[in-house]
Structures are given as structure tokens and as C-alpha cells.
Amino acid sequence: MNTFYDSLQAIHARIDQAKAQVGRNDTVQLCAVSKAQSAEKIRSAYEAGQTIFGENYVQEAITKQAQLQDCNIEWHFIGPIQSNKTQLIAQHFAWVHSVDRIKIAERLANARSSTMAPLNVCIQFNSSEEASKSGAGMDELTSLATAIKALPTLNLRGIMAIPAPSKDILQQRAQFKHVHKAYLALQQQGFALDTLSIGMSDDFEAAIAEGATIVRIGSALFGARVYAQAYKTV
Ligand SMILES: *Cc1c(COP(=O)(O)O)cnc(C)c1O
């Protein structure tokens, strides 16, 4: 059986290869998506050198964080945000990738203690403009970015997107290119962004080719997710 260390090395090798293919020398960070993974698995991953972990479910994350207090983990919240969870998210995470409306940004900002470092946030961009998908549309990006910038306890870092899954690398690249354009457009409007959060297990190489600065990888690192009963609904 492979250890987590082997999986981690294999993912880093793929990240490096994807960068080399397009001549990138800058850093692509790895967010290990640990939803549905136990605290013990996260601890082994941490001991193998992984420090950034992404979680989707607030209660599940807080339970595991309590068991991992001795680890210097940078926790990223990457899931959909319900209004009644903003208090906990603002208190328990260093990053939030999935801010998709002003009301949520304001609630996070109010709940973030001014004694803590500002909460790093990305705007979730609905790149496929599907009504059913969460994320801000192209026409909402500027107003949302402006609102976030005015909130001193938030630090606007960039854009996150989850394009529709595709097995075709050209299709994947076209979708990520569209996200990258939205990111560049915001930069051109004067927003100082440094984070493009795109790419998951099945498409991270295409995302890196289109400028990802952080990829969010779960199953390719930890294996398929098996949801424990306790984590199912939170
Ligand atoms: C679950 C999840 C991931 C990781 O998905 P994998 O396909 O397992 O890599 C990345 N980003 C978000 C927002 C997720 O919900």
C-alpha cells in the first residue's frame, strides 16, 4: 500500500511537470482537500509535509481542528457558505475560497476578530454562468471585489472557480482560460490579486497551464472519499 508521502510526491511531480510544460517557474500551492478524511489521516499528511488543508463542512472541520491543535495547519474553507455558518468560518479558518455575495462577505468581516490577521478571501466565480451553480457571475465580480476591499478584516486575494467537469483537456483549458481572463480583468481594474484557485484531481494540470496559483486536490491524494456517518449532514 502506498503511504501518503508517496501520493504527495506523485502529485508534486505532476504539478512540476504541468508547470514545466508551459514554462512556469512561479509557485503553485497545493491545498489538500481533506473533507471526509479523518483527523488521523490529516495528521499523517501533515507529518509528510503538507500544511494547507481544505474543508467544505464547517462542523466536520471544527471537530478535526480540535484534534489537530498542535499542528501548524493553514485551514482553507472551500465549500458553499450558509449565512448561519459565517461566524464559525470567520473564527476557524485562515482562508475562504467561496465568497459569492456581498452579504456573506459582510457577515464574515463582522465575525472576524480585528485581533486576528485579516481573513484571506477569494471570490467564487460562476464561470459557466449556470443558474444552478454557486458563484458570482461576470457582471457581479467588480461590485463584489469593491465591497470586499472596503472591509478591513478581509483581505481580497483572488478568484476561485469550479468549471463543469470535462474529460477533454482542451475543454478543461478553455474553461480555465475563461476564469483566468476574469482574474486578469479584475487586476486591470486595480485589484491587487495574487491567487487563482482552480484545478481539482481530474483537471489540475489544465488549470496549471492556465495560470492556477493554488490547486485543490482531494481524491488524487487521499483516495476516494468515504463519508463517515458522523460527517454526512454537517
Ligand atoms: C471536494 C472538492 C475538491 C477536491 O475534489 P477532488 O476531485 O477530490 O480533488 C476541490 N474543490 C472543492 C470546492 C471541493 O468541494
Side-chain angles (χ1 to χ4, degrees):
M1 214 182 96
N2 279 0
T3 63
F4 182 86
Y5 185 80
D6 296 329
S7 312
L8 187 62
Q9 293 308 107
I11 292 293
H12 278 299
R14 286 174 62 187
I15 289 173
D16 288 345
Q17 198 184 359
K19 281 169 57 180
Q21 252 164 25
V22 293
R24 287 185 59 179
N25 300 314
D26 56 337
T27 303
V28 175
Q29 287 190 302
L30 171 61
C31 173
V33 176
S34 48
K35 62 180 179 223
Q37 308 298 343
S38 65
E40 297 83 82
K41 270 208 169 177
I42 297 173
R43 184 177 292 280
S44 316
Y46 177 75
E47 284 166 359
Q50 179 63 32
T51 54
I52 301 176
F53 290 87
E55 290 279 342
N56 292 55
Y57 306 102
V58 182
Q59 212 54 58
E60 172 189 340
I62 290 174
T63 303
K64 292 188 285 192
Q65 286 171 352
Q67 297 170 262
L68 295 162
Q69 268 173 0
D70 56 311
C71 303
N72 189 16
I73 289 175
E74 183 176 277
W75 294 99
H76 290 219
F77 189 81
I78 62 173
I81 306 176
Q82 295 166 304
S83 306
N84 63 355
K85 295 282 164 43
T86 47
Q87 179 91 21
L88 288 171
I89 293 170
Q91 287 166 348
H92 288 268
F93 289 85
W95 280 74
V96 179
H97 291 225
S98 42
V99 175
D100 62 353
R101 51 198 194 277
I102 291 176
K103 179 183 157 199
I104 292 294
E106 286 172 343
R107 289 182 65 100
L108 289 169
N110 289 338
R112 183 73 168 185
S113 160
S114 54
T115 62
M116 293 171 87
L119 182 62
N120 297 294
V121 303
C122 292
I123 294 173
Q124 185 171 349
F125 173 44
N126 179 1
S127 55
S128 46
E129 309 280 342
E130 292 167 49
S132 60
K133 275 201 141 188
S134 46
M138 186 70 100
D139 55 335
E140 297 166 312
L141 286 181
T142 304
S143 56
L144 185 48
T146 305
I148 293 171
K149 227 188 132 182
L151 297 165
T153 53
L154 302 187
N155 186 7
L156 178 64
R157 300 295 295 269
I159 285 189
M160 182 272 251
I162 314 173
S166 164
K167 295 228 180 301
D168 175 8
I169 184 127
L170 293 179
Q171 176 80 25
Q172 291 173 358
R173 283 193 61 166
Q175 298 192 100
F176 288 132
K177 195 186 286 292
H178 179 59
V179 181
H180 192 209
K181 274 194 187 148
Y183 176 68
L184 290 178
L186 281 179
Q187 282 181 331
Q188 276 153 15
Q189 289 164 36
F191 296 100
L193 308 180
D194 62 6
T195 303
L196 183 56
S197 170
I198 47 175
M200 319 201 321
S201 290
D202 292 331
D203 57 15
F204 70 88
E205 279 118 334
I208 289 169
E210 299 299 342
T213 66
I214 183 165
V215 290
R216 309 176 312 271
I217 300 182
S219 44
L221 264 177
F222 290 104
R225 280 180 287 277
V226 180
Y227 280 90
Q229 188 65 33
Y231 292 156
K232 236 172 196 162
T233 56
V234 288

